[in-house]
Amino acid sequence: MEKNNRKYRVCFIDYIWYVAERFSEREHNNLNGGRLLFMCWLFAILIPVIIPIAFRYLGCIIALAAVIPICFLPSLFCKLRYTAGRRTALREHYRDMKRPVRRLITIILVAFALTIADFILMFHLGFIHWGK
């Protein structure tokens, strides 16, 4: 009985996950919450920020050995975080959500803008440069 009464804290990552899950249920497609979190992680954080820094300071072999396991963090995170109880709590918390398609498009556009801004910043700071 106590397990059902647990209070879950909802954060922005839960919102992103739930919007994608709701869209996936509605449209019957393959874009679920875990995949959207993976894509945001990969394109907005890992590729423009972590990979250039790792290759610059760690070298090629060590950077590859460090970056490959980091790629799988979102899938491990989703498996551990989104249990049946948390899913039920998120459905209850966001039960009045309307227009998940517009929210999903907004999330994707913000992630794309963040990716572009990260690349510009990394070029400006010198972590990424054109090869000669």
Side-chain angles (χ1 to χ4, degrees):
M1 287 292 213
E2 291 178 22
K3 195 172 189 179
N4 292 337
N5 294 332
R6 290 175 63 183
K7 297 287 183 184
Y8 292 102
R9 295 181 69 186
V10 179
C11 65
F12 184 65
I13 294 173
D14 294 331
Y15 175 77
I16 293 172
W17 181 86
Y18 183 76
V19 167
E21 287 291 322
R22 179 100 179 258
F23 178 74
S24 178
E25 289 173 4
R26 180 177 167 195
E27 299 295 326
H28 304 292
N29 63 7
N30 292 330
L31 180 67
N32 58 11
R35 286 192 184 160
L36 182 62
L37 286 177
F38 174 74
M39 299 295 263
C40 289
W41 170 254
L42 186 68
F43 292 115
I45 298 171
L46 190 68
I47 291 175
V49 178
I50 294 176
I51 289 177
I53 291 173
F55 275 90
R56 179 151 187 174
Y57 291 115
L58 298 177
C60 290
I61 303 298
I62 297 172
L64 279 175
V67 167
I68 289 174
I70 291 174
C71 289
F72 298 107
L73 283 179
S75 61
L76 179 65
F77 175 79
C78 287
K79 287 191 187 302
L80 295 176
R81 183 168 177 99
Y82 297 112
T83 61
R86 181 169 287 280
R87 288 174 189 229
T88 305
L90 288 174
R91 280 191 193 102
E92 182 67 25
H93 183 76
Y94 292 118
R95 68 180 172 265
D96 297 330
M97 178 185 288
K98 296 179 182 169
R99 299 185 181 108
V101 177
R102 287 185 185 174
R103 294 173 190 263
L104 181 66
I105 290 171
T106 303
I107 290 169
I108 291 171
L109 289 176
V110 167
F112 182 72
L114 182 62
T115 302
I116 299 299
D118 286 342
F119 271 117
I120 291 170
L121 184 63
M122 295 306 270
F123 270 113
H124 180 70
L125 294 176
F127 288 102
I128 304 172
H129 53 82
W130 298 108
K132 293 180 182 180

